[in-house]
Amino acid sequence: MAASGEEALDKIATEAIDIVFMDQSMPGMGGIAATTAITSNEKNRTYPGSTLHRQ
């Protein structure tokens, strides 16, 4: 589990990840920006994922 978008990017780069769930309002880089960064890398485009938000 990652507490920020930046931490999620670090984990994806260094760990074997099967699925990604993002909160769009995480501290620092939010889930939408992190998901965009993840999917902009060709090797990451196969991750199933979802961006979540709370009200």
Side-chain angles (χ1 to χ4, degrees), residues 8-9 11-21 35 38-39 41-50:
L9 294 176
K11 286 184 176 284
I12 286 171
T14 60
E15 299 178 20
I17 305 293
D18 294 320
I19 191 166
V20 176
F21 290 97
T35 299
I38 291 166
T39 58
N41 183 333
E42 183 71 32
K43 76 176 187 117
N44 294 333
R45 289 193 181 163
T46 60
Y47 280 119
S50 177

Side-chain angles (χ1 to χ4, degrees), residues 26-40:
M26 292 187 296
M29 177 187 288
I32 294 172
T35 299
T36 300
I38 291 166
T39 58
S40 69

